[in-house]
Amino acid sequence: MGIYSVAVDGPAGSGKSTVAKLIAKELGIVYIDTGAMYRAVALYCINNGIDTKNEEAVSGILDSIDMDIKAENGGQRIYLSGIDVTDDVRSQKAGAGASDVAVIGSVRQKLVNIQRSLAKGMSVIMDGRDIGTNVLTDADVKIYLSASADERAKRRCGELKKLGLEYDFELVKSQIIQRDKNDSERALNPLRKAEDAIEVDTTSMNIDEVKDTIIKIIKEKAGIG
Ligand code: DC
């Protein structure tokens, strides 16, 4: 079986990371969560008193961010200056800040370079917004996941609850809608379905159904299994 890559894109809360992790485990390939990298840049800014909307200030501190990514059994851990921030980057604040810093060209350039080098020489499933359209344009399989805003807000609340973090459903939903707007209307590599991507609407599917649907597509497209 050769090396292959799978790109999974879609809006916030469409189930990308949950399903990509399960698929990575089942197929024995590496999972790369690119959203966590934008979140880590935002977390660094928040922790250092830098406004995530201030392009000049964020660009100015980019070189001082020491980010490290390690694969672990179907998952990924992310570190800032050697400190594991995998759970911390899941907060609502880091998510909103991530959407801000994601419009900045220098941030995207730094993170896309890291993402491409992580994907070299091994089979990966990478999730984000611009994987099929920009980061891995040659991916063997491109999936675009969608779901209604209501359903996505429910899922994000479940995720926050599991981590023991506080949340408010209406706030989470309005943030998701705002995030969709930011992510799809920005000038640089906006959230968009690649022409050669297969769309899977997950609104009325459970996670196993989504996983099985995608694995079937991967097996057909990548010629594995
Ligand atoms: O998937 P997520 O919620 O963890 O992503 C957080 C933010 O990061 C999202 O609002 C937009 C940005 N992002 C991006 O611009 N490009 C990616 N490949 C991944 C995430």
Side-chain angles (χ1 to χ4, degrees):
M1 188 164 78
I3 289 172
Y4 61 95
S5 54
V6 182
V8 182
D9 291 301
S14 56
K16 299 182 304 284
S17 54
T18 312
V19 86
K21 265 184 235 165
L22 291 172
I23 293 169
K25 247 189 181 165
E26 193 158 322
L27 298 180
I29 61 177
V30 169
Y31 167 60
I32 302 170
D33 173 2
T34 65
M37 301 179 200
Y38 290 90
R39 286 168 177 267
V41 170
L43 184 69
Y44 181 92
C45 291
I46 294 164
N47 289 345
N48 289 279
I50 289 147
D51 178 2
T52 50
K53 287 188 172 21
N54 184 334
E55 198 165 331
E56 210 180 315
V58 175
S59 292
I61 53 84
L62 259 190
D63 281 346
S64 48
I65 301 182
D66 168 20
M67 187 187 294
D68 206 11
I69 288 114
K70 291 194 177 112
E72 62 154 31
N73 188 26
Q76 168 187 287
R77 308 292 312 172
I78 187 158
Y79 303 81
L80 284 178
S81 304
I83 296 167
D84 188 336
V85 293
T86 312
D87 291 341
D88 295 342
V89 300
R90 302 317 311 169
S91 71
Q92 288 191 45
K93 247 187 170 174
S99 195
D100 292 337
V101 300
V103 307
I104 303 171
S106 54
V107 171
R108 301 205 69 83
Q109 206 174 359
K110 177 181 169 108
L111 299 187
V112 168
N113 286 341
I114 295 174
Q115 291 154 15
R116 288 189 180 135
S117 64
L118 284 171
K120 267 202 188 119
M122 56 187 180
S123 292
V124 298
I125 179 164
M126 185 182 286
D127 83 9
R129 302 292 187 291
D130 61 337
I131 312 306
T133 55
N134 176 45
V135 182
L136 302 178
T137 46
D138 289 339
D140 301 276
V141 186
K142 295 182 186 179
I143 304 288
Y144 187 85
L145 284 189
S146 59
S148 70
D150 227 66
E151 177 61 25
R152 289 186 283 129
K154 268 189 223 155
R155 292 178 188 168
R156 192 43 63 96
C157 287
E159 190 186 315
L160 293 168
K161 191 174 175 187
K162 230 169 141 184
L163 288 169
L165 297 170
E166 296 208 354
Y167 65 89
D168 169 322
F169 179 79
E170 286 308 324
L171 181 65
V172 170
K173 188 177 163 187
S174 66
Q175 283 181 338
I176 275 186
I177 292 167
Q178 182 59 45
R179 197 104 67 79
D180 287 353
K181 199 171 146 58
N182 272 8
D183 295 345
S184 51
E185 290 180 3
R186 68 169 180 240
L188 293 171
N189 308 123
L191 168 65
R192 195 163 54 75
K193 176 180 171 288
E195 270 173 30
D196 49 350
I198 296 174
E199 180 161 356
V200 179
D201 183 346
T202 71
T203 307
S204 54
M205 288 166 99
N206 67 35
I207 203 70
D208 278 331
E209 288 169 327
V210 181
K211 182 195 73 169
D212 291 343
T213 303
I214 297 176
I215 285 186
K216 197 164 163 249
I217 297 169
I218 295 173
K219 288 189 170 169
E220 279 166 15
K221 286 246 171 194
I224 58 160

